[in-house]
Amino acid sequence: MGVHLKTKNLIYEIGAIDFLTSFFHTIEYRLTKGFFGKKYPIILGEFYDGELKYENLERAEKELKDIQKRLKKFKPSKVIWDKNDLKKTPPWENNISEDITDLSNYYVTSNGKDLFEIIFLAIEDAKYLKSGIIIE
């Protein structure tokens, strides 16, 4: 079953729930040393829980920019598919595009778009619409 982000009246396709969960697990495991929600409270707290409130969009954007910058330091092989089972690998294992050079560009949505770009676009649209973002 696929998930998407939704603002007032716009939908942004993401892909499988495991894919999006891996995104959050990779951020937590690689960038926060296991302190889930402490380093990035909006992204790993509110957004991970399924809703990004309008009043936190600016802060979420800042956290995401820092996350994206820091994930550039990690090779694609450092992806975390499931923080509770670190041996678990993505369904495609290591068979990834040569365009994926690090964890900042590892996550590509089901329709071929960079996940960070989609989230940034959703944030911009939500700001314009004065809306939050929901993960459905």
Side-chain angles (χ1 to χ4, degrees):
M1 179 171 192
V3 295
H4 58 269
L5 305 179
K6 182 179 176 187
T7 62
K8 225 177 226 179
N9 57 355
L10 298 171
I11 293 175
Y12 310 84
E13 191 64 37
I14 301 298
I17 188 69
D18 290 350
F19 170 80
L20 187 58
T21 301
S22 169
F23 176 73
F24 290 117
H25 285 195
T26 298
I27 294 166
E28 177 191 4
Y29 192 85
R30 295 291 175 212
L31 304 182
T32 70
K33 308 290 190 241
F35 294 105
F36 195 78
K38 301 290 185 203
K39 174 77 175 155
Y40 302 110
I42 302 302
I43 296 301
L44 292 179
E46 184 177 305
F47 194 43
Y48 181 74
D49 286 342
E51 183 177 2
L52 183 53
K53 295 177 184 156
Y54 171 73
E55 57 270 15
N56 290 327
L57 293 173
E58 293 283 339
R59 192 162 169 208
E61 194 170 36
K62 287 178 186 169
E63 287 183 12
L64 274 171
K65 285 179 182 177
D66 187 60
I67 289 165
Q68 187 178 37
K69 177 182 163 190
R70 291 182 65 208
L71 285 178
K72 284 185 185 288
K73 299 175 185 173
F74 294 91
K75 294 179 182 183
S77 62
K78 297 296 183 181
V79 68
I80 301 297
W81 196 249
D82 182 343
K83 70 177 182 178
N84 300 312
D85 181 0
L86 297 177
K87 293 179 183 178
K88 200 169 193 179
T89 60
W92 49 84
E93 296 181 355
N94 292 324
N95 187 19
I96 59 173
S97 168
E98 291 179 8
D99 295 335
I100 297 172
T101 56
D102 55 60
L103 289 181
S104 74
N105 64 9
Y106 183 88
Y107 292 93
V108 179
T109 66
S110 58
N111 57 3
K113 305 210 180 198
D114 180 272
L115 181 59
F116 277 104
E117 289 178 21
I118 294 299
I119 299 171
F120 285 129
L121 176 62
I123 288 172
E124 285 304 310
D125 289 344
K127 283 194 253 182
Y128 177 78
L129 294 168
K130 295 186 178 8
S131 168
I133 300 171
I134 297 171
I135 299 173
E136 294 185 325

